[in-house]
Amino acid sequence: MSSPNASVPPPPPPSSSPHAAPHYDSDRALALHSVDLDLEMTSLNGHMGINSSSPSMSVGVGFQDGDLPRTSAAAVSHGSAAGRGGGGGGGGSSWRAFDAANNFALIASTAYESLDYDPTDGDMEREVKRRRSKASLKSMDVTRWAIAAAIGVAMGTVAFIVDFLIATLSAARFDTVLAQLDDNAVNSQKTPKLFFLPFLAILTTTAGLSLVAAVLVSYVEPLAAGSGIPELKTYLNGVNIKGLLSVKALVAKLGSLILVVSAGIVAGKEGPFVHAGGIVAGALTNWISRAFSRKLPFSHYLRNDTARRDFIAIGTAAGCAVAFGAPIGGMLFTVEEGVSFFSQRAILWRGFLATCSGVIVFHWLHMLYESPEKFLSSKMGVHRDFGLYSDDVVGISKQFWWYAWELPLFASIGAVGGLIGATFVRLNVMLTRWRRNVVPEGRKMWRVAEVVSVAMATVSICFVITYASPCRPLPSPLVRQILFDVAKSNASSVNVTLPTPPQRPEAMERRETEDRIFFGGGMYESGGVTAIDIKKAHFRPMFCPNDTYSVYGQIFFTPLSDSLKLLIHLGEMLPESRFEFDPGALVLYFLVNFVLMTWTYGIGAATGLFVPTLAVGAAYGQLVGLLVDAIVSSTNFASKVDLHSYAVVGAAAVLGGSTRMTISITVLVMETTGALQLLVPLMLTVLCAKAVGDSLTLGIYDTHIRLKGAPYLEEHDPMGHGYPEADQLTVSDVMAGSLCTLPPTPLLRDVTSLLGSCRHGAFAVVDAQGERASDDDTFDRDRGSGSLGPSSRPGRPARRTQSGNMQHRMCGSVLRSHLLHMIEKRIGVFDPEADDGTGRNMAGFPWPTTTSGLVEMLGQLDAPMTKLRDVNAALDAARLQPGELERLRIDLRPFLQPHPMLVAADAPLSRAYRLFRTMGLRHLYVTEKKPVIVGVLTRKDVMEAAGRKKWDELHDANAICSY
């Protein structure tokens, strides 16, 4: 029978609460009813109709990953309304949909375990910190900077390898088909043979690549699906997702990403690179802290939740930076969209180093691969990720102009971009609900079949459009350059020097240079590229005669990122003879890619969203530019509008309307396109896109977080906008009144019984109920022991407050993971009947005497829960002798958190929400309405100067007393 000191709440009577929870799936309801806290929270919040972002984990306890499977939440309810305006119809149906969304969010949130970013300041932890020297602190700081640089170097290397594999596979996939088409280009007639043979070839390769990509995700790690940004954003908010940062997830993510992009699916690499950066950062930090543990005596601090959060945030910044080739934009992306807890030194400065080193390494490796003999003489910084030309060749400062009267047009483009993004979010939500029913994670073969179907449909649509494309003659500047190159080649083969025209040689030379730049010659900076090569790259005939090019195939039958470059840059050098895309091709490109983008995002493969939205937006911007140009030309306006400025602005508008980012999008687009002159138009555009989009739906990433039911705590306006119910409720309205508690030195049997019967993530450590702790109930640091005091004896019956809740005098809080590790490694375990060496029975656990022993013990408590699944596994690892389970005790006092965060019972729920959101808490304990006050602190009292002065005074006083 358990000791009375271990308080385990009895199961609640069914439907006894006035706010009884509605009936859900029976299995999940049983799991939910096993913890009375979650029953109370679900019933109350379901009755009040609280927004689905309400802090369902914000009081009392957390849940272990193994408590409820992460995939079962999807089977509970598929009718939840994600984002604003999820309900439809009349007021009653809207309320029911709203209530269903809240109920789903509350149930699904129990499948997640929260992280704890509140630093522990227990006795043993403070002792270790007291023994740290200035040299060790300096060493740890240098190590953190070195890890940040190593994360950047690793991600730069990974990006180069991934880009190389994507380019190789894409070239192999396209070149075979294009070679067949080029061989038949002299024949202007389209025959069935000319269609089916290339079509079957590219369809087969696409199906094979997409099949392997889907298998990697469905059978290796399902969390590798999608971009990974919603999951990383959830993790950085303080929610642990099991398997998200595993090496297995990294292999599945990158492998699937390479194959998906190579297969021609409408997806980008940038989003998955953010996830990959987080995994690389977590794995690298963990390896360094363990591999150099002897040289870094305090390396266990690199493995706690706070340190891992900061380094993973740095990894996401590095991943975004190397994917875009934009170090500043990558850092701003993490600050704006990724992290919920911002530290200037830990994240911004070190992240800045990581993004810088990552992009440098990526460019170095690229230059070494392209021309190793010219590595030292090659110009750096002249290539853009979405650039078609080299900056120094095209004179980038002369491009992307705009007029004052165009600002209202750019604002309108942003507003429509917000509408396009909101439409995309709504349609994708509908598809996600359908997938939740038809192809959930459990149906692996169905998910694989969906990925292959999407890939085959994509390539089929693009191929048919290319086959039906109209033909257009080659532009005259390109024809002139081809004739000149052919004549020059023939003359050199027979040793004949071409005569130089006597008239205007400078003009002829300038036109030759402009023709090359106009059609992409600048991208081949290494030299040796002829106009014929340019024609093959951007003006292929495909199913057209040899002296023409395919109007639709130019942007449809090419990798998505390459078509984006063409839409933004092709012909931008010569406004007087600029290249204009066919409006029909742009309309078709916009519609087809919008539909495919909506269908693709959420399939069981690694898919990014940045490049598809940018491509859709660039086509939209080009269309608006053509319309404006036609209107302006009809008014005999002297100057020409820049179509490429409209393409860049349209790309930013659709991306901003889908993701709702502002600053990072502006900088990313400028860095990747070189459109520095469009700073003001881009800022105005993304602000309008966000404003319109936010009025209709949430962003795509926040929407998918809600669809997963993760207990993500958003940043709300202090005035209550977004969550006004939190100001009306009090903490006592939603708190758990019955707690699972432990005394400071419980029996090992009681601890194992509590761990087996209660799934809470942490437990309050309390003195004897209703008694005040005596002076002798303290822990002697010097002796490493202490008296059990009244906490070892059953106390008087506990007093109750007016609300019926028990009062406990709190000693601190201990995590469930720490208890399992203490049992497994017998940390803190002592025999109260054994002799302590002085003729008395042991009163507590003896501390290690050396600093290395203390550090090693603390490191064991923070070890990952890889094999330790439950209390039975911990008991098996402890190898207890017969009778020890009933006789041994665990001394929790050196290891607990003695000063957990507290909140008064009558405080508004909004205060508790802010504490969780800003402090990164896992638990928040509730005190009585009128707690005892012993003093007051001001900002001046906690300044460094005040603290050091007091420290010196105490040191001087102790020195005098000892003297």
Side-chain angles (χ1 to χ4, degrees):
M1 186 173 180
S2 299
S3 167
N5 291 318
S7 173
V8 182
S15 302
S16 60
S17 170
H19 306 301
H23 178 72
Y24 306 115
D25 176 78
S26 58
D27 293 336
R28 194 159 186 95
L30 287 175
L32 194 62
H33 280 267
S34 65
V35 183
D36 61 330
L37 165 67
D38 212 58
L39 175 62
E40 294 177 14
M41 292 173 59
T42 305
S43 60
L44 176 62
N45 291 344
H47 175 76
M48 296 296 296
I50 298 175
N51 188 285
S52 60
S53 64
S54 58
S56 57
M57 65 171 184
S58 63
V59 283
V61 297
F63 293 89
Q64 293 299 109
D65 283 329
D67 193 10
L68 292 172
R70 66 173 183 262
T71 55
S72 62
V76 179
S77 170
H78 58 272
S80 61
R84 299 184 185 89
S93 61
S94 297
W95 174 260
R96 285 192 296 271
F98 184 66
D99 196 41
N102 294 327
N103 293 334
F104 168 76
L106 290 171
I107 295 176
S109 65
T110 61
Y112 296 89
E113 180 185 4
S114 57
L115 300 168
D116 191 3
Y117 297 149
D118 186 27
T120 302
D121 54 0
D123 290 341
M124 185 171 288
E125 188 78 27
R126 294 179 66 180
E127 179 64 20
V128 169
K129 292 180 179 178
R130 187 181 67 84
R131 298 187 183 186
R132 291 185 300 184
S133 63
K134 291 184 178 180
S136 65
L137 293 175
K138 184 67 174 179
S139 174
M140 284 300 300
D141 188 58
V142 173
T143 302
R144 290 188 178 97
W145 283 97
I147 292 176
I151 291 172
V153 172
M155 285 309 302
T157 306
V158 170
F160 171 76
I161 295 173
V162 170
D163 276 10
F164 172 78
L165 294 176
I166 289 176
T168 302
L169 291 175
S170 295
R173 175 173 167 269
F174 276 104
D175 287 351
T176 303
V177 176
L178 291 174
Q180 297 180 26
L181 297 179
D182 290 341
D183 292 339
N184 294 277
V186 294
N187 182 11
S188 60
Q189 296 183 354
K190 300 177 181 179
T191 62
K193 180 180 179 181
L194 183 61
F195 173 83
F196 283 107
L197 290 181
F199 176 67
L200 291 177
I202 198 167
L203 193 66
T204 303
T205 56
T206 299
L209 293 172
S210 60
L211 175 64
V212 180
V215 168
L216 281 173
V217 171
S218 295
Y219 289 92
V220 177
E221 180 50 72
L223 282 172
S227 66
I229 293 179
E231 291 79 8
L232 257 296
K233 189 174 179 179
T234 303
Y235 177 89
L236 295 176
N237 188 257
V239 182
N240 188 32
I241 301 177
K242 182 181 175 182
L244 178 67
L245 300 172
S246 63
V247 177
K248 184 171 63 174
L250 178 65
V251 174
K253 194 78 174 186
L254 294 180
S256 179
L257 171 65
I258 293 169
L259 297 172
V260 160
V261 177
S262 302
I265 296 177
V266 180
K269 66 177 182 178
E270 287 74 15
F273 256 86
V274 174
H275 186 187
I279 300 175
V280 169
L284 191 61
T285 303
N286 187 61
W287 176 78
I288 290 177
S289 65
R290 296 183 182 279
F292 299 95
S293 58
R294 293 185 178 181
K295 297 182 179 180
L296 301 172
F298 302 101
S299 59
H300 71 283
Y301 288 115
L302 299 175
R303 297 193 297 270
N304 59 37
D305 287 347
T306 304
R308 280 178 58 83
R309 174 200 69 194
D310 293 342
F311 283 117
I312 288 170
I314 291 172
T316 61
C320 184
V322 297
F324 281 104
I328 300 177
M331 188 66 252
L332 290 177
F333 166 82
T334 296
V335 172
E336 180 180 6
E337 184 69 9
V339 297
S340 298
F341 310 96
F342 177 73
S343 170
Q344 188 179 56
R345 182 179 182 87
I347 296 179
L348 183 63
W349 293 351
R350 293 180 185 138
F352 196 74
L353 172 63
T355 58
C356 176
S357 60
V359 173
I360 288 175
V361 169
F362 175 74
H363 286 317
W364 281 356
L365 292 175
H366 179 76
M367 295 300 295
L368 284 172
Y369 174 76
E370 290 292 335
S371 53
E373 70 282 355
K374 297 182 180 179
F375 175 72
L376 296 178
S377 60
S378 298
K379 296 179 180 180
M380 303 293 294
V382 297
H383 298 283
R384 307 280 177 174
D385 191 67
F386 295 144
L388 196 61
Y389 318 112
S390 299
D391 290 356
D392 62 333
V393 176
V394 302
I396 199 67
S397 61
K398 301 177 182 179
Q399 310 307 316
F400 303 111
W401 67 88
W402 54 281
Y403 306 102
W405 55 266
E406 289 181 301
L407 280 179
L409 296 177
F410 293 145
S412 301
I413 291 175
V416 177
L419 181 61
I420 294 172
T423 304
F424 160 68
V425 172
R426 284 185 179 273
L427 293 176
N428 188 259
V429 166
M430 295 170 60
L431 276 172
T432 302
R433 292 173 182 166
W434 175 82
R435 286 192 178 102
R436 186 177 291 167
N437 289 328
V438 180
V439 283
E441 286 186 9
R443 296 183 178 179
K444 298 181 179 180
M445 289 299 298
W446 286 84
R447 284 174 65 83
V448 172
E450 184 195 17
V451 175
V452 177
S453 300
V454 170
M456 296 178 68
T458 301
V459 72
S460 299
I461 292 172
C462 293
F463 196 87
V464 170
I465 290 175
T466 302
Y467 181 78
S469 169
C471 303
R472 178 183 288 182
L474 294 174
S476 56
L478 183 62
V479 174
R480 289 197 303 267
Q481 188 61 51
I482 291 176
L483 295 176
F484 182 83
D485 287 346
V486 171
K488 185 177 181 180
S489 176
N490 294 336
S492 62
S493 63
V494 296
N495 295 323
V496 176
T497 303
L498 289 176
T500 302
Q503 69 279 12
R504 297 194 306 165
E506 295 181 359
M508 294 291 295
E509 182 179 356
R510 182 171 62 253
R511 189 169 70 172
E512 175 188 350
T513 304
E514 289 176 343
D515 287 346
R516 284 185 175 275
I517 296 174
F518 175 43
F519 294 106
M523 67 182 295
Y524 308 103
E525 190 184 5
S526 57
V529 177
T530 65
I532 297 178
D533 298 320
I534 299 171
K535 173 181 175 294
K536 289 182 178 180
H538 305 318
F539 295 90
R540 285 184 177 272
M542 299 192 188
F543 297 100
C544 296
N546 196 28
D547 57 345
T548 62
Y549 71 97
S550 175
V551 175
Y552 295 168
Q554 184 183 36
I555 52 178
F556 275 98
F557 204 71
T558 188
L560 187 64
S561 59
D562 290 348
S563 65
L564 172 61
K565 296 176 184 179
L566 293 175
L567 289 172
I568 293 177
H569 293 288
L570 187 59
E572 67 185 2
M573 275 299 297
L574 298 179
E576 66 276 6
S577 59
R578 60 186 175 180
F579 180 81
E580 295 183 1
F581 288 95
D582 182 76
L586 293 174
V587 172
L588 197 59
Y589 185 90
F590 172 83
L591 294 176
V592 168
N593 281 283
F594 179 83
V595 173
L596 292 176
M597 173 183 71
T598 305
W599 186 16
T600 301
Y601 191 75
I603 62 175
T607 55
L609 188 61
F610 283 98
V611 171
T613 51
L614 288 171
V616 169
Y620 156 61
Q622 281 270 3
L623 283 169
V624 176
L626 288 174
L627 178 61
V628 173
D629 182 62
I631 296 174
V632 171
S633 299
S634 65
T635 60
N636 297 322
F637 190 69
S639 300
K640 287 279 189 178
V641 300
D642 184 20
L643 297 179
H644 309 286
S645 295
Y646 281 86
V648 173
V649 169
V654 176
L655 179 57
S658 302
T659 63
R660 312 298 155 77
M661 295 184 292
T662 55
I663 301 175
S664 55
I665 286 181
T666 302
V667 177
L668 282 172
V669 171
M670 284 196 306
E671 284 188 289
T672 54
T673 63
L676 181 61
Q677 296 84 347
L678 298 179
L679 173 61
V680 173
L682 285 173
M683 293 175 65
L684 180 63
T685 299
V686 296
L687 280 174
C688 292
K690 177 176 174 58
V692 173
D694 284 343
S695 67
L696 299 173
T697 66
L698 291 173
I700 185 64
Y701 300 136
D702 292 332
T703 297
H704 274 263
I705 290 174
R706 288 203 177 181
L707 286 171
K708 295 176 184 295
Y712 181 86
L713 301 185
E714 301 179 31
E715 183 179 9
H716 292 301
D717 191 288
M719 300 305 294
H721 177 70
Y723 189 12
E725 296 86 351
D727 289 326
Q728 307 302 321
L729 293 170
T730 63
V731 171
S732 59
D733 290 332
V734 298
M735 73 178 185
S738 54
L739 300 174
C740 297
T741 63
L742 286 169
T745 55
L747 288 171
L748 184 59
R749 176 196 58 195
D750 295 336
V751 176
T752 57
S753 175
L754 183 63
L755 292 174
S757 60
C758 185
R759 299 297 301 176
H760 292 185
F763 304 94
V765 179
V766 300
D767 287 323
Q769 296 173 352
E771 289 192 6
R772 182 180 180 86
S774 61
D775 293 336
D776 60 346
D777 186 24
T778 57
F779 194 89
D780 189 345
R781 295 182 183 174
D782 296 332
R783 292 173 48 216
S785 62
S787 60
L788 294 177
S791 62
S792 62
R793 302 186 299 271
R796 299 192 302 268
R799 296 181 293 148
R800 293 178 179 271
T801 62
Q802 293 181 356
S803 61
N805 298 323
M806 291 185 177
Q807 286 186 334
H808 307 280
R809 188 161 297 278
M810 192 172 190
C811 298
S813 175
V814 61
L815 294 176
R816 180 186 190 89
S817 59
H818 285 185
L819 289 175
L820 290 173
H821 282 304
M822 291 172 72
I823 295 174
E824 176 197 20
K825 299 180 174 61
R826 301 179 70 120
I827 299 174
V829 177
F830 70 99
D831 188 351
E833 300 177 3
D835 192 340
D836 65 353
T838 63
R840 297 183 298 177
N841 291 340
M842 294 189 67
F845 176 70
W847 286 21
T849 56
T850 62
T851 302
S852 60
L854 292 172
V855 171
E856 181 181 359
M857 186 170 291
L858 290 177
Q860 290 175 343
L861 292 181
D862 292 330
M865 304 279 289
T866 52
K867 299 180 181 179
L868 209 57
R869 299 300 180 189
D870 52 29
V871 65
N872 293 326
L875 287 173
D876 292 341
R879 299 181 180 179
L880 297 176
Q881 299 298 322
E884 287 186 336
L885 186 63
E886 291 76 16
R887 187 179 73 254
L888 299 181
R889 289 183 177 271
I890 298 182
D891 192 353
L892 304 178
R893 292 169 293 184
F895 311 101
L896 55 80
Q897 167 63 289
H899 310 114
M901 289 289 180
L902 306 173
V903 66
D906 60 342
L909 184 60
S910 58
R911 176 173 289 275
Y913 189 99
R914 286 195 299 271
L915 285 173
F916 271 98
R917 181 64 176 75
T918 58
M919 301 300 296
L921 303 180
R922 180 173 182 172
H923 311 90
L924 186 59
Y925 292 95
V926 183
T927 67
E928 56 190 7
K929 295 182 178 180
K930 296 181 180 180
V932 178
I933 184 172
V934 297
V936 65
L937 278 174
T938 66
R939 179 185 293 266
K940 297 177 182 179
D941 297 326
V942 297
M943 289 174 57
E944 292 184 16
R948 287 170 177 167
K949 179 180 179 181
K950 178 58 67 174
W951 173 256
D952 293 338
E953 291 176 357
L954 294 176
H955 254 282
D956 294 340
N958 291 335
I960 294 174
C961 292
S962 62
Y963 178 76

